[in-house]
Amino acid sequence: MAPQSNRVVELRIPSELGYEKIAREAVATVAHRLNFTKEKVEDIKTAISEACTNAIRYGSGSDARMKVVVILTADEDKLDILIKDPGASGTPPINIDIPDIDGMVEGKRRLGGMGLYIIRELVDEAGFVEASDEDEGNQFRMVIYRVEDNKKESSPEAKASGSENGGLA
Amino acid sequence: MSEEIQVSVRGEGNVTVIDLVGDVTTFAEEAINQAYQSASADGAKNIVFNFRENDYINSAGIAILIGVVTEARKRDQKLLMTGLSAHFQKIFRMVGLTQYADLHPTVTDALASVNGEATT
């Protein structure tokens, strides 16, 4: 089956750590069909794992009665990933800082807080987007372009804005 | 949903190898810390975390390893990591973990590094 434009896969996973692996496997299948390289598929798998983990832990307080919705839209030139959570922890972070591993090792910073940074480094665009009126909670969007040149032509500011405000917001 | 990690400790020459088989996520914290404490209690000075290529490692798992780095520095232990896929080698470099733990392809390579031997 050759990839076709605007194919959408929607998943609803329980808000329980471990279920992010379903999103991880699903996105790998979609990304393979879009002919992403093996390494890029690994990048996408890690990015979606981190995003879903955040949605589970912070966006819905690891309450398995809640759901995290993952929408994968396969387009001709890109893979668009939208992750929705109930927004249990309130406003998501705006800034994505480089992890202060020295501070963590020295005990000056809490361990963790690396997920958003890893995501930003692995995908072309990433950030929280404003939810529509009928949607409540947080929405986190990631975009991965199939051809490097497409990204540069269509979204030259994406990386820069992502580093300052989480991008796409 | 998460694959339970299997962690075991063994001696290999003058290094202690902690083999990790399974997901390295928040659920692995107790097993990894127990293995590390066990190795330390036996006087380990060179500790190799040997991963199984293609296992799932996330940022929570990396945070556990940073916690081990913190303890190892206090004990003047050398940490090495082996078996990581190219992808996770990249992630470990990305977050800065490789400042504190040397990466090698295999346990044999790590052992040679500790002993100052050249590998082919």
Side-chain angles (χ1 to χ4, degrees):
Chain A
M1 289 185 290
Q4 298 179 38
S5 60
N6 294 323
R7 293 292 192 186
V8 178
V9 174
E10 185 168 331
L11 307 170
R12 287 168 59 85
I13 60 174
S15 180
E16 183 177 334
L17 287 174
Y19 280 93
E20 76 277 8
K21 291 176 72 176
I22 291 176
R24 178 180 168 84
E25 296 307 316
V27 81
T29 302
V30 172
H32 278 303
R33 291 192 59 197
L34 286 172
N35 293 324
F36 280 108
T37 64
K38 187 179 176 187
E39 176 57 19
K40 183 48 74 177
V41 172
E42 291 302 312
D43 289 350
I44 295 167
K45 286 167 67 180
T46 291
I48 202 168
S49 299
E50 294 296 331
C52 286
T53 298
N54 284 344
I56 291 168
R57 291 187 72 174
Y58 306 114
S60 42
S62 296
D63 182 346
R65 294 170 299 179
M66 296 185 181
K67 302 291 181 194
V68 169
V69 177
V70 180
I71 301 171
L72 311 174
T73 304
D75 209 338
E76 284 188 4
D77 67 337
K78 67 181 185 296
L79 174 60
D80 197 311
I81 302 171
L82 188 66
I83 295 165
K84 301 179 180 181
D85 66 53
S89 61
T91 308
I94 294 175
N95 296 316
I96 302 175
D97 298 325
I98 297 172
D100 178 8
I101 190 166
D102 294 336
M104 290 184 224
V105 168
E106 291 166 12
K108 296 175 182 171
R109 297 285 298 267
R110 74 171 181 87
L111 294 175
M114 294 176 281
L116 285 175
Y117 171 76
I118 290 172
I119 292 168
R120 194 189 71 189
E121 293 298 303
L122 295 179
V123 302
D124 296 316
E125 299 174 25
F128 288 95
V129 294
E130 195 167 329
S132 60
D133 289 343
E134 60 265 28
D135 282 323
E136 292 183 351
N138 300 320
Q139 295 192 9
F140 187 79
R141 184 177 175 225
M142 299 182 284
V143 181
I144 307 95
Y145 291 92
R146 292 181 64 199
V147 180
E148 194 69 14
D149 288 345
N150 287 354
K151 178 188 75 175
K152 290 172 184 168
E153 287 169 11
S154 62
S155 185
E157 305 302 327
K159 276 284 187 186
S161 67
S163 64
E164 291 171 2
N165 61 9
L168 295 170
Chain B
M1 275 303 296
S2 190
E3 183 186 345
E4 191 170 332
I5 192 167
Q6 303 294 319
V7 183
S8 56
V9 183
R10 62 186 163 97
E12 183 89 30
N14 57 345
V15 305
T16 300
V17 180
I18 297 176
D19 291 302
L20 305 169
V21 178
D23 297 345
V24 183
T25 67
T26 191
F27 299 112
E29 183 168 15
E30 186 177 346
I32 289 175
N33 285 335
Q34 279 184 356
Y36 168 70
Q37 295 298 342
S38 169
S40 295
D42 288 341
K45 282 296 172 189
N46 302 298
I47 299 176
V48 176
F49 279 88
N50 183 36
F51 296 85
R52 184 175 64 175
E53 192 173 350
N54 300 323
D55 273 344
Y56 170 39
I57 306 171
N58 68 8
S59 62
I62 293 172
I64 295 165
L65 297 172
I66 294 172
V68 171
V69 166
T70 302
E71 292 297 314
R73 277 165 59 90
K74 291 176 186 170
R75 295 176 167 137
D76 200 24
Q77 295 163 320
K78 182 177 178 63
L79 290 185
L80 305 97
M81 297 188 183
T82 60
L84 289 164
S85 66
H87 174 70
F88 282 111
Q89 289 180 37
K90 179 175 75 176
I91 300 290
F92 279 33
R93 288 192 184 94
M94 189 183 290
V95 299
L97 190 52
T98 50
Q99 296 173 58
Y100 298 99
D102 296 339
L103 305 187
H104 296 278
T106 66
V107 171
T108 302
D109 294 315
L111 193 59
S113 168
V114 168
N115 292 319
E117 300 166 8
T119 55
T120 55

